[in-house]
Amino acid sequence: MKDLIYAFLSLFYKPRFAKLDGQLRFPREIKGAKYISIGRGSRVLRGVILTAWDEYEGRSFSPSIAIGCGCAIGEHSQITACNRIEIGDNVLTGRYVYISDNSHGRTDGTDLETPPQYRELISKGPVKIGNNVWIGERACILAGVTIGEGAIIGAGAVVTKDVPPFCVAAGVPAKVIREMK
């Protein structure tokens, strides 16, 4: 019965998306669906927030979120882009994972005097996550980061720099703690 409900829900959302070949399972919020694609066999679980910002505080963007095939985006995760986020095939995330290519403003004195919600969105670059990556619960993947194929990101890690393929990265900020090949 649940599969039938998820299939119906995905059919409801499908016309709004750039591509929706996977399942949406009761997302919390979707903004900019026309810039989001979800590959065949992928599941976006309950409570997920997907936001592709084409405009914020009067500034225009060209966002893109591409989730590959066979992925599972854990419950209550958030993926937000004003630039580009690419998630490869067969990526698994835990719950409450945060993936973002942007932040609210710069850290110089002028921006700090402006309330955060009114600062312009700034992107330090796209996020690229390779195939067969496992991202642990409550991990944060920040702008300008590439995570290589087969990597594992530990629970609670804050990824601010690239992670090579087939490595385990953990900590705040995340560091490679083990190479698997």
Side-chain angles (χ1 to χ4, degrees):
M1 182 67 171
K2 281 185 180 181
D3 285 338
L4 188 60
I5 292 169
Y6 299 143
F8 178 76
L9 183 63
S10 295
L11 274 175
F12 172 77
Y13 280 111
K14 191 170 184 136
R16 296 178 174 101
F17 278 76
K19 178 177 122 184
L20 178 55
D21 292 337
Q23 284 188 349
L24 292 171
R25 296 186 175 184
F26 298 103
R28 179 170 170 211
E29 179 182 349
I30 296 171
K31 177 173 178 25
K34 65 185 176 182
Y35 305 109
I36 301 170
S37 64
I38 300 173
R40 183 179 26 74
S42 289
R43 294 163 302 165
V44 176
L45 301 180
R46 181 181 302 276
V48 168
I49 298 170
L50 298 173
T51 51
W53 297 95
D54 60 358
E55 188 275 329
Y56 187 84
E57 288 297 311
R59 188 166 172 219
S60 295
F61 301 97
S62 299
S64 171
I65 297 174
I67 299 171
C69 298
C71 296
I73 306 301
E75 293 176 330
H76 309 289
S77 293
Q78 181 176 0
I79 300 172
T80 179
C82 71
N83 187 342
R84 186 175 75 247
I85 295 175
E86 296 176 29
I87 298 174
D89 296 336
N90 304 307
V91 171
L92 172 66
T93 79
R95 294 179 176 135
Y96 301 98
V97 167
Y98 177 73
I99 303 171
S100 176
D101 71 2
N102 62 81
S103 59
H104 287 270
R106 296 174 176 83
T107 55
D108 63 19
T110 58
D111 269 3
L112 298 178
E113 294 169 359
T114 303
Q117 68 268 26
Y118 299 119
R119 296 176 192 164
E120 68 178 305
L121 290 183
I122 303 293
S123 178
K124 292 182 180 177
V127 172
K128 184 169 182 174
I129 299 171
N131 296 333
N132 304 313
V133 170
W134 176 19
I135 302 172
E137 190 161 328
R138 297 188 188 275
C140 296
I141 315 299
L142 301 181
V145 167
T146 296
I147 298 174
E149 178 181 359
I152 298 171
I153 307 301
V158 177
V159 182
T160 60
K161 295 185 178 171
D162 292 353
V163 176
F166 307 107
C167 288
V168 177
V172 179
K175 294 181 176 152
V176 172
I177 60 171
R178 182 173 166 215
E179 294 181 24
M180 296 180 286
K181 272 194 171 186

